[in-house]
Amino acid sequence: MTTASFSETPTRRALCAACLRPRQTCICRWVTAMPNQVEVLVLQHPMEVANAKGSARLLHLSLANSRLEVGERFAPAQLESMLSPERRNVLLYPATEDASLGLAKPQPFDPAWLQQPLRLVVLDGTWRKSRKMLYLNPPLQSLPRMPLRETPPSHYLIRKAHLPDQLSTLEATVYALAQLENDINKYKPLIDAFDGFVAQQAGYVTKSA
C-alpha cells in the first residue's frame, strides 16, 4: 500500500511525494497493488504530468512491475535502454498505419509471443500528442501493436474521448494486461479503484462549477 507523504515550499502547495498531487487532491487512497507478470513501460507526454484527470500515475503506482518515463522525444540511447531485449516489446496502440505521417510499418503481432517475457509499451497523452510521440520516436513505430479485443465501455467520464470506444490509459493498459496474461478478472480491483478515482475527480468538477 502506498503511504502519502507531503512536502511544501513557501510558494507552493504541499504535494504528495507519491502521486505528485496537492494534499487536497491526493489519489493515493486509490492505489491498488497488483503483481503484473507483463512488464509495463509508460511513456508520458510532459503535458500529462500535471493533468489532474490523468490516470497514468495511478496505474504506475498500482502495478508492481512498471516504469514511467516523461518526455515527448527520447534520446535514441535512452529509448534503446528502456526497450532492452530481455523482453519482447509490444506497443499498446491501434494497429493502423498513418501514411500521411510517414510512419514505419509495424511488425504483425504473433500470438506465440504470449509464451515469452513481454513488455507492454504505453503512450500516455491525448490522441494528437501520442501520435506525435510515435512520429518523433522511430524505434516505437516498428514495434508490434497490441490489438485490444471486446473491451467494456469506458468508465472515464471526466474527460472527452477522441473516439467513441476510446479508453483511459489505465483502462486500456489493464485490459491489455488481462488479455496478455489470459486472466480477465485479475485486474478488476484496479478498475474498481479507478471508478473511485473518477468519482473523486468528478466531485471536484462539480464543486468548482
Side-chain angles (χ1 to χ4, degrees):
M1 179 177 180
T2 298
T3 302
S5 61
F6 299 91
S7 61
E8 59 184 322
T9 66
T11 57
R12 297 185 62 184
R13 291 182 296 172
L15 295 180
C16 171
C19 71
L20 308 182
R21 307 288 182 103
R23 183 197 310 268
Q24 295 84 349
T25 58
C26 176
I27 62 171
C28 287
R29 61 183 291 195
W30 305 116
V31 172
T32 305
M34 301 297 303
N36 52 308
Q37 177 183 347
V38 173
E39 181 182 309
V40 171
L41 170 63
V42 179
L43 302 180
Q44 184 178 53
H45 192 277
M47 292 184 67
E48 289 296 313
V49 175
N51 190 330
K53 298 177 182 179
S55 63
R57 190 74 186 174
L58 176 59
L59 173 72
H60 171 55
L61 292 175
S62 296
L63 295 180
N65 190 13
S66 71
R67 178 177 177 180
L68 189 150
E69 297 287 343
V70 178
E72 184 177 60
R73 184 201 297 266
F74 296 91
Q78 181 186 12
L79 199 55
E80 181 180 358
S81 174
M82 291 189 289
L83 301 175
S84 52
E86 73 271 6
R87 288 177 177 265
R88 183 173 290 277
N89 296 288
V90 178
L91 181 65
L92 181 57
Y93 200 83
T96 57
E97 300 173 37
D98 192 334
S100 64
L101 290 179
L103 300 182
K105 184 177 180 180
Q107 301 176 46
F109 183 87
D110 187 345
W113 296 339
L114 297 176
Q115 307 304 317
Q116 303 176 18
L118 294 175
R119 176 183 296 112
L120 184 66
V121 182
V122 180
L123 302 182
D124 178 51
T126 63
W127 180 254
R128 179 176 297 180
K129 294 299 183 184
S130 62
R131 196 165 66 162
K132 185 176 181 182
M133 291 171 70
L134 189 59
Y135 174 74
L136 293 175
N137 297 278
L140 298 177
Q141 299 174 21
S142 59
L143 294 181
R145 308 282 177 89
M146 171 66 200
L148 288 177
R149 300 192 308 263
E150 301 177 357
T151 57
S154 177
H155 298 199
Y156 201 30
L157 305 178
I158 55 175
R159 198 166 181 179
K160 184 178 180 180
H162 178 76
L163 297 170
D165 58 349
Q166 200 165 3
L167 303 168
S168 68
T169 296
L170 184 146
E171 290 172 307
T173 303
V174 162
Y175 296 144
L177 287 175
Q179 188 173 316
L180 290 170
E181 298 179 1
N182 195 28
D183 190 342
I184 193 172
N185 295 316
K186 177 179 178 179
Y187 295 95
K188 186 180 183 301
L190 185 48
I191 290 294
D192 291 342
F194 178 68
D195 288 341
F197 161 79
V198 170
Q200 175 180 311
Q201 300 305 311
Y204 298 142
V205 173
T206 301
K207 289 179 183 178
S208 63

